[in-house]
Each structure stands twice: as structure tokens, then as C-alpha cells.
Amino acid sequence: MANVLSNAIIKTIRLGRGGEEKSFHIAFTGTADYISHMGVVALSVRKWNPDMPLSFHFFVNDLSDRERGHLISLSQMTGASVYVHLIDDSCFTTLLLSDGVAAFFYRFLVAPTLASLTDRVLYLDGDMMCHGDVTPLWKMDLSGFDAAVVTDRREESNAKRVGTSKYFNAGMMLINIDQWMNDGLFDDIVRRAQENVAKVGNRLSHHDQDIHNQMLDGRVKYLPKKYNYLYNLDRQSLFAKQPENEPYEKQVIIHFAGHAKPWHSWVQNWPAVQEYAALQNESPWKDYPLVPPKGRKNLHQAARTARMQHHYGEMVKWYVQYIKSKI
């Protein structure tokens, strides 16, 4: 059965060749300006899994000559095949919410696009870092499950909100492609996204994560949180309790799932971020600069972080800019 996304992939480009037979396929999705971040995630997977045959898939809406060169270098550095799946954003019109961003729905395309290549794929968000062996995911028995996932923060309240038995974070999904396609989930999730727009109009909702949870309720295998550890770089207000992270060294996949990301300039003193930065410095994107705070939320985060680190000059600078952004 065809749906509005059946022809969303314009073409697939293979850049470099690696160990193809029986490789572990790993997919990333995002706009073209996220390729550098996805590339660092790919490099981290290779670092901690040096002997695993890998294939990396980038689902993006554009590919510049510069990024093409970087991805060819990534293939050479990792010994992995790299595929770029170019996406036509106009196909997503009936799914879009008030922000108008099609990229939130790109992951809908992962399973049907890779169905002819593999029986499973590990989907990873671009704000992650691998820090351990993913062989258990590569070899895991997924019989009877459409995917394997990890619970999200505030699981109980989120499950109650969307009417599910549990609630997972969709930033990491080990997808059983055969089961997914046999169960008709490609058509199902597109239909649900369209129905969501019809229900809420173009008002901003929770994009695709709620939809994945409602569709997959009772059909997923839950994994230990080390496979999608939600590592918080954000800082709270002065008298609020600050978030506590477990040691990042004990996690397999670290997910920087807050406003602050490891490529932001104001979080570079965190040890986990320093390890991420070291990876980037070894990558084809080593010359890409850090991103300074932009927008009200990030200015506020930069000011809070500077305060926590006793960098009071920086704190004043960012608070002044934050206040100006509110006027």
C-alpha cells in the first residue's frame, strides 16, 4: 500500500565501500547541517567496536560537495560503507506541525528504505556518543518484537498523557525490519501522523515520539538504560535541584537529550563533552567551530552554566543578553 512518503527518497548515494556482508546497519536522520554531528556519532561507534562490520546510513535533505567529501573520509577512516539517502521535504506536507520541520519525521523512512539490505537497523539520534560494545544489539533476538527501546524520562506521566502502558525515548530504536514491514507499520505511522495533524491542526505537538509510543505499545522489547542513557548538560535555576548523571563511562550509548549539546561552547568543561570533542578533533569535521548560545533558552543555559562554574564575567555577559532577548 502506497502512502505520501512512498517516494520521499529521491536517490541513494553510496560513498565508499566497507565490510558489507552481514554488517550492522546504523541509521541517522536530520537536516544537512546535522551531518557533522551524525558523523561524530558514527565515528564513536567505530571507536568502541573496532572489528565489527558496519554500514552507516544518513537520511538528509541535501548533500553539499563539502559534506560529500567528509563522508567519503568517514568511510575511509572507519572501513564502513556510507550511504546517503536524499529526501524530498515536500512529501511531508500533510504531516507537518507549526514548526514546519520535516526532519522530525525522516525516521519513518528508515525501515522501508533498508528492508532490502538487512533484517535490522540501529537508529540513533545525532546528539549521541557511543561509549561501549554494541554487539549485544547486533546479535539480539528480536523475535516477536517490532523494536527494542529504552524508557524515557518521566515515563509514568508521559505514558498517562498518551494513553500507553509504558513510554520510551525514540532517540535510539533497534528496529526489527522484517517484523516492522510485515506488521504494516510504515503505512500505519504515516496515517497516525496525518491524523495527529487533523486533530491538533498545525499546533506544535510532540512530533513523532508520541506517535511511535502509541503505535508500538506492547510491541517493543525494553533494554537497560545504558543503551540510551539520557545525559543532562542543562543547568537549573539557582535554588532548584540540579540533575544528576550516572558516570558516563558506564554507559554504552550516551544521549545528550537536553537544550545543551556537546558542540555548544558553554559546556566544554564537562568530561563527557571533552571526550566528544576529542572524537570530533579526530574526525573530518575537526575544523567546525563550537556553537555559541543563540536564542533565549540557550542564553539562559549559558548564564546558569557560567554561574555554576564560578565564571562570573561570562555569567553577567550571558544574563545581559538573555534579558535583552526578552525585551
Side-chain angles (χ1 to χ4, degrees):
M1 177 179 174
N3 62 57
V4 295
L5 299 187
S6 295
N7 298 309
I9 299 293
I10 301 170
K11 64 178 177 179
T12 293
I13 305 167
R14 186 173 180 182
L15 302 173
R17 297 179 180 274
E20 191 65 26
E21 186 177 355
K22 297 181 180 178
S23 65
F24 192 22
H25 292 257
I26 299 177
F28 312 98
T29 65
T31 50
D33 59 351
Y34 233 66
I35 290 176
S36 60
H37 309 316
M38 296 186 282
V40 174
V41 184
L43 196 62
S44 72
V45 174
R46 170 52 80 210
K47 176 181 178 180
W48 288 92
N49 300 271
D51 300 319
M52 180 179 291
L54 294 170
S55 292
F56 296 120
H57 297 264
F58 293 76
F59 289 77
V60 294
N61 59 350
D62 192 25
L63 181 67
S64 67
D65 290 341
R66 184 186 188 195
E67 292 296 17
R68 179 191 291 261
H70 288 155
L71 291 176
I72 291 172
S73 296
L74 176 69
S75 176
Q76 293 168 345
M77 294 174 68
T78 60
S81 291
V82 172
Y83 296 83
V84 178
H85 307 278
L86 290 176
I87 296 172
D88 179 2
D89 279 351
S90 69
C91 294
F92 293 80
T93 302
T94 60
L95 282 65
L96 299 182
L97 297 166
S98 60
D99 56 7
V101 179
F104 288 114
F105 304 97
Y106 287 176
R107 77 183 96 187
F108 290 3
L109 301 171
V110 171
T113 302
L114 303 188
S116 64
L117 292 177
T118 180
D119 63 351
R120 71 180 57 201
V121 58
L122 177 62
Y123 168 81
L124 297 176
D125 272 357
D127 55 352
M128 291 181 154
M129 178 174 69
C130 182
H131 204 272
D133 183 10
V134 297
T135 301
L137 301 180
W138 185 27
K139 302 296 185 181
M140 184 174 294
D141 182 9
L142 294 174
S143 300
F145 296 102
D146 288 294
V149 296
V150 174
T151 55
D152 201 7
R153 298 181 183 124
R154 298 180 293 277
E155 180 196 2
E156 290 186 7
S157 60
N158 277 319
K160 183 177 180 180
R161 177 177 57 81
V162 300
T164 57
S165 59
K166 302 188 76 171
Y167 191 91
F168 62 85
N169 182 283
M172 187 289 295
M173 292 192 294
L174 179 64
I175 299 172
N176 180 352
I177 293 180
D178 291 345
Q179 185 84 34
W180 190 282
M181 298 306 293
N182 288 337
D183 289 345
L185 297 190
F186 178 41
D187 292 326
D188 190 8
I189 201 165
V190 172
R191 176 186 58 79
R192 288 171 182 267
Q194 291 172 316
E195 290 176 350
N196 183 55
V197 172
K199 180 171 62 176
V200 304
N202 70 345
R203 180 172 55 84
L204 186 61
S205 185
H206 287 75
H207 293 114
D208 68 307
Q209 183 162 283
D210 282 358
I211 299 170
H212 272 103
N213 271 273
Q214 290 169 335
M215 181 181 74
L216 295 172
D217 191 30
R219 306 167 75 163
V220 293
K221 182 174 186 175
Y222 279 89
L223 305 177
K225 62 183 179 181
K226 68 179 180 179
Y227 289 110
N228 183 7
Y229 184 79
L230 303 177
Y231 196 90
N232 201 330
L233 299 174
D234 293 340
R235 298 288 82 187
Q236 303 303 313
S237 59
L238 181 59
F239 298 107
K241 182 180 179 181
Q242 300 300 323
E244 296 181 3
N245 295 308
E246 295 180 10
Y248 76 91
E249 299 93 341
K250 295 183 178 181
Q251 315 310 324
V252 176
I253 298 172
I254 300 161
H255 189 177
F256 299 101
H259 292 298
K261 304 297 183 185
W263 52 85
H264 284 152
S265 62
W266 65 93
V267 295
Q268 296 304 302
N269 287 335
W270 290 74
V273 173
Q274 291 172 350
E275 188 158 334
Y276 180 96
L279 273 169
Q280 181 171 333
N281 287 334
E282 298 171 1
S283 79
W285 298 275
K286 59 181 179 294
D287 296 327
Y288 280 34
L290 295 173
V291 178
K294 299 175 183 178
R296 188 179 304 174
K297 288 182 178 179
N298 284 348
L299 286 167
H300 205 183
Q301 281 297 315
R304 288 174 172 176
T305 299
R307 185 195 72 228
M308 296 289 293
Q309 297 173 348
H310 309 293
H311 298 160
Y312 298 115
E314 287 284 302
M315 178 193 75
V316 171
K317 179 178 74 172
W318 297 130
Y319 268 128
V320 167
Q321 292 191 31
Y322 168 68
I323 293 169
K324 286 182 177 178
S325 73
K326 298 178 69 176
I327 299 174

